[in-house]
Amino acid sequence: MTSRVLGADATVAAFPLGGIGTGNVSVGARGDLRDWELANRPDKGARLPFSFFAIRTARAGAAPTTKVLESRLPGPHEGDQGYDAGRLAGLPRLDDSRMRGEYPILNIDFRDAELGVDVTLTAFTPFVPLDADASGIPGAVLRYRVANPGPDPVLVTIAGSLANPVGITGRDVFHFPTYAGQPVNDWIDEPGLRGIRFGTDLPADDFRFGSAALSTTDASVSAKPQWLAGFWQDGVQVFWDDLRTDGRLDPETEFSLDQPPFPAWFTRLRVGSVAITDELAPGVARDFEFVLTWHFPNRHRAWQGNINLDNTNAGQVVRNHYATLFEDAWAVARHLTGDLAGLESATRAFHGALFGSSLPAEVVDAATANLVVLRSTTCFRLDGGRFAAWEGSFDHSGSCEGTCTHVWNYAQAAAYLFPELERDARRTEFVEETRADGRMNFRANSVFGNAPWDFHPAVDGQLGAVVRLHREWRFSGDDALLKDCWPGVKRAVDYAFSEWDSDGDNVLDSRQHNTYDIEFYGANSLANSMFFAGLAAAAAMAAHLGEDDVAARYRAAAAAGATRMDELLFNGVYYEQRLDDVDERRYQYGTGCLSDQVFGQLLAHLAGLGHVLPADHVRSAVAAVFRHNFRDDLSGHHSVQRTYALNGESGLVLCSWPNGGRPRIPFVYSDEVWTGIEYQVATHLIIEGFLDEGLTIVRAVRDRHDGRRRNPWNEVECGNHYARSLASWGLVVALAGADYDAHSGTLTFRPRLDLDGDVRLPFTTGTGWGELRLAAGPVGAAAAASASVEVALLGGELDLRAVVVDHPRLGRWTSGPVRLLPNTNAQLRTD
Amino acid sequence: MTSRVLGADATVAAFPLGGIGTGNVSVGARGDLRDWELANRPDKGARLPFSFFAIRTARAGAAPTTKVLESRLPGPHEGDQGYDAGRLAGLPRLDDSRMRGEYPILNIDFRDAELGVDVTLTAFTPFVPLDADASGIPGAVLRYRVANPGPDPVLVTIAGSLANPVGITGRDVFHFPTYAGQPVNDWIDEPGLRGIRFGTDLPADDFRFGSAALSTTDASVSAKPQWLAGFWQDGVQVFWDDLRTDGRLDPETEFSLDQPPFPAWFTRLRVGSVAITDELAPGVARDFEFVLTWHFPNRHRAWQGNINLDNTNAGQVVRNHYATLFEDAWAVARHLTGDLAGLESATRAFHGALFGSSLPAEVVDAATANLVVLRSTTCFRLDGGRFAAWEGSFDHSGSCEGTCTHVWNYAQAAAYLFPELERDARRTEFVEETRADGRMNFRANSVFGNAPWDFHPAVDGQLGAVVRLHREWRFSGDDALLKDCWPGVKRAVDYAFSEWDSDGDNVLDSRQHNTYDIEFYGANSLANSMFFAGLAAAAAMAAHLGEDDVAARYRAAAAAGATRMDELLFNGVYYEQRLDDVDERRYQYGTGCLSDQVFGQLLAHLAGLGHVLPADHVRSAVAAVFRHNFRDDLSGHHSVQRTYALNGESGLVLCSWPNGGRPRIPFVYSDEVWTGIEYQVATHLIIEGFLDEGLTIVRAVRDRHDGRRRNPWNEVECGNHYARSLASWGLVVALAGADYDAHSGTLTFRPRLDLDGDVRLPFTTGTGWGELRLAAGPVGAAAAASASVEVALLGGELDLRAVVVDHPRLGRWTSGPVRLLPNTNAQLRTD
């Protein structure tokens, strides 16, 4: 797989802009702005009328060309009013476009035979590893670079138009937005920044209150801050004619050509445009840069989700974290433009560390594309920085509220890139959501101060949280976090013994609710691998806290349980579920080969806990998962469940029954294909040495997301931007084999790729991030003599006692204590 | 254009089943059931979960094959839960399909390498010209023909499944329907008919009350009348396994595998399946025939539309006309199956008269495809047979209520195929909606007994209604209709003199609201051609009623006005709008070349009124419309309005300014492309002798509706299934040159096609319909000696005093008095 290049036929490709917890607007493959989701809820498909960029070019003596700065609409052209007026489908567009989306940076090359200039769009929202605030700016840079390849000067205008997005309540039958309050557009011209502030007359504590801004630091500006309002489309006709005429916009002198008084139903739509105009000499290129920012401060203090957790405080306002940092969208624009050099430099460094790395392209694609989840409507941060997340985003509402422990169990990206978010989630889980008896509410309602959820505990989510606390604590060295969580951890772990192990054999076997939204009964290796991983994690943390007796008890239980489970469940090839009658209860899997069967072991690996099950059986099990559950061609697959892969596509099903024994009604997702599980299995395959198999799965996932069938930046499960897909970052960790232990101050690499030439592999730690750089000879050559190995820091800082690289061919390289700052390196020596 | 054949990539093709005023369910190009619009409102995109057909085939000794009887889903595969469970996208489907939709008959050929049999679907709702009741059955036949081409017997099952569609209130986040009341499925087995009746426990006067039935006359039936209900998808898993196992369905013995008591939110979804099973010997073919019927009797007694006419009686129930003919959906099934032979025979005769005719394929395509409008949610009939219609159908509500006179002005299909509907509309317009002062409410609210609309009268709609009354009266000989309407006609015509002709020169020139939803000022030929046509029509009717003075006055005014208008507006090439300053008021066209500029003349032609404007100027004008307004390639077109044609597509714009003078803000639809106007212009071009130009426009329209870009059976303007597209039937009338005058008892043909060989041209009259059949020698040969000419009746009856054929080459052929019954002919003799 080479870098993904999408043509205008990639109709479902949508590259989201926006920061952590800010909402999004996306850019389609044609360069169109789509999916306006700025106002604290998902809204896939939401359009803003008349919100687009246009270009006008004029050479002396030739007729000017004015077009919408998008490539043509490929169809279907269906719509109950054709294309409604707000879409401006009847204006000329460019011949073609090529989208290269390398998250977090988007580039689109436009092609047009008439323009006479070359145009490229670069768009991004700053993304700075380890800095959630810098990565949480509600806005984006939209930079059009125009080059004049011809022999004559060309006068170029690029004009951006935006409909005021504040206060939208819905859409009328003509597809125009309806508003609460009256949107208000204001022109602002201050030193170094000018543009339109889109506000409202709604009170500041209204849930729909907010602002947006379309601005530029460019001095060559003209504007029409507010188009003519009217019952018909006078505004757009006059705007377009104004732009076409001379490429410079004039403010309107009238509010409307309709006669006052205006009826109550008169349009509240307020559109404004900002244009940058300059003459480009032959051979010259120039940026036409716009900044789009927004600010919708007020959330309901409740999930208001489909699981119907207590919503008592829904009528209260809670502010978004970003709203505590910026007064309004104009302040965001000031910040984003003022700090742009540094923010862009860090963003490009991160982009380069991934897309310039030696990781397989499909891994870079999978790992980066799903970072979108963290900056989608799935995640948000409340006043005080509290992190909270849905499982995913339905098209128009959040999906399954409460930072679900058993779904987020699979997520790796935040832990390694924005660990403060995961630390906050652990604190919520163990300090607030673990009851006195050790039962953890697997959907957090404490973030809103509403009553806790009353439902079964989730065995995988609850015990996985213990492993993940170990991951967060080890990566950060945050002993305060551990101390705060520890009582909850002990209660949560002890709950497993008392509630899930009916016969005291250290193997969980009673009613075990889990991520398949049903209860498994009897011994199964999903719950128990998680149990043993949780015990290992808890033992390590207990030891650190000096509770050696607890540590010993947990370690002993883990060892005994693992031995017992192996006897009970290992069938010589993989682990089964132990049930006398698989059909006594619905929704079991019995003799099936479960893709998640050793998921707990993977979490243990990533958390630095090593094997909690017999290594050879784990290796056999993950190989069996690939062999039985990965399908090259799903045409013959029979699934009456939800469908994420079909026809001739490839994918990993959740379960199969290679030896027969399929229950009459197996668990309700058993025939489905989930990308999050595909990634956890692929990661585990790579760790266990099955590199080709792991990469085969990753390619299958990403091939399905080709922009024509599915959006590359949206892996869906129960909702868009589904949290489980954040498992894909595990691939990066596994391939570099990077492991950071804040307590020992050691950074270790065990690369699972062996490549020749100059090799670059990204890594992160709790305080800094960078690259492992190898200069290696040809694969097959053993000699380390001519090699070189170094660790380069690209962001943050890093104080290490030791660096160790265990290379499969170059051998062991080390460094003693070193303190790294950005753009400094540690050279390693071969042992 | 050959017969339209659509592959599975025709993702927006949807062939609607259903009768006049009954709502629809459509069949997609893959053979899928889609767009469930049964319950008295549009609902494009509405899906019913688990509602599909499946096939199982088994040869002795071979593994059986079970698949969804649809071709594969081509993508995009987006969805916020992938494909939700109700869509069953994870089941195997057939390799491919080919849809041949020849309205009203649909055929789909399926292809699959594994099935071992050949399968074709034929689907239709009976369509009987001149019989609105027989064409208004709320149901459809779905007939799968299976042939066994192999050497071995094959056991074949086809199973139809349907989710109870009664009482649906919306969809939950999982895309499952929510219900008012509890749907109830009942198995009915009565002599000759068995199947599932889908009912409800809602009271019979509830607006959502209704029923549906999936039934068959086949005796080889098994069924699962109600799938297992449950929180999860037990029902479909057990159904699918049951079908796969032996191809015969067993009724469930339990209601649910979940444990009672069931919570209030427990699913109300009730799915049922009916299967037909038979063994096919080698070489044998057999029909597997299902009948799908429905019955949603209760409408609100109000439009409840977007124009917000008075809705005082909305809380009252008014029954659909069809509900007065059938007790419920089961009664519909009895009727449809009981009378199927006759209904199908008439339907096939009509289909054959069009698709077997000598009309150009694009004309047959355009004329038949838009008949869907009459049987879509756009049209309905109330208790007592009253006809009423929206302009079109928004995706989820009617568009622009009140059988709008200025939109329906363009429609020709109902007048020639179901003239009772148009007669009823005229009665509404002139008896109920024309006020004492002659102002006609151009949106009827009297059909519901609500208060009349208070708005400007529409000059084109009001005067066009006079022409159309003449058309209806002449076609039917219905003097009672004329007598009832006549006082209103006089008031409506006299209103034009008093209100729209400011200076008494018989040319309308004051504020003239019209079909572009704005007011024209000053003299224009759209309003005035309609005025002169209306005067000619009114004069003819006055003469018939013995009011010779009135007739003379109207004739004189028409003649004087036409002369005066010609002086004022004809610019040597076409007719302009007369304004001193085109920008004094918005939304005018001035010197523009308006596509509708002689629309009144076309209506006069079709109503048998001849020229009301100078023939040579009319000919010049329609030629100019084609020359200036038809665009081969719209890529360079600048329109900020709604968009119905774009990119490299061809189309006829509503107006252009070939001589300059475009207003700053021309009328609000001036740059749009409307199929209804394209058809009226094409019809007029053909009548004026520009056959190639007319057909060029028709091809452009239909090429745009290719199933990939747009649905062939849905021409959209302000809403789906837009009434103006019914103008396309005018092409059939114009090409055959058929003209029927009930009063003189004459049927005249002036064919505007000159073809060799056996020529067949369809015609209708008020009482019977059939074909003109010519056996003609090679084009270019003058001799009529070897020719033969006959008129064959295919339906109804016809009592004629004279038949005349004026053939451009074969000359004049005639017959004296003849009485025709179905399948009898009248032989004509050359003069």
Side-chain angles (χ1 to χ4, degrees), chain A residues 343-403:
Chain A
L343 290 166
E344 180 166 358
S345 165
T347 304
R348 291 195 176 275
F350 174 74
H351 170 269
L354 271 294
F355 288 91
S357 78
S358 306
L359 294 170
E362 61 268 32
V363 167
V364 176
D365 189 39
T368 57
N370 288 304
L371 294 177
V372 165
V373 174
L374 295 172
R375 308 215 292 178
S376 74
T377 51
T378 298
C379 300
F380 54 96
R381 298 180 75 193
L382 301 176
D383 193 341
R386 297 287 309 262
F387 175 72
W390 304 85
E391 293 184 17
S393 298
F394 292 138
D395 284 348
H396 307 292
S397 60
S399 163
C400 303
E401 58 266 35
T403 327

Side-chain angles (χ1 to χ4, degrees), chain A residues 688-765:
Chain A
E688 297 293 346
F690 301 104
L691 180 64
D692 288 349
E693 290 81 355
L695 296 182
T696 297
I697 294 176
V698 177
R699 278 194 301 274
V701 180
R702 297 307 295 169
D703 283 350
R704 299 198 305 262
H705 294 79
D706 65 359
R708 287 177 297 279
R709 286 171 289 172
R710 298 177 189 82
N711 182 4
W713 299 283
N714 180 15
E715 293 187 5
V716 174
E717 193 187 307
C718 190
N720 299 297
H721 307 300
Y722 199 74
R724 206 183 318 260
S725 66
L726 289 166
S728 57
W729 195 263
L731 298 161
V732 174
V733 178
L735 284 166
D739 184 63
Y740 173 67
D741 181 340
H743 297 93
S744 64
T746 54
L747 175 61
T748 310
F749 294 90
R750 287 187 179 78
R752 296 187 173 91
L753 282 173
D754 182 12
L755 303 169
D756 57 13
D758 290 327
V759 175
R760 294 165 58 191
L761 296 170
F763 74 91
T764 62
T765 75

Side-chain angles (χ1 to χ4, degrees), chain B residues 712-730:
Chain B
W713 298 283
N714 181 14
E715 293 187 4
V716 175
E717 195 188 307
C718 190
N720 300 297
H721 306 301
Y722 199 74
R724 206 184 318 261
S725 65
L726 290 166
S728 56
W729 195 263

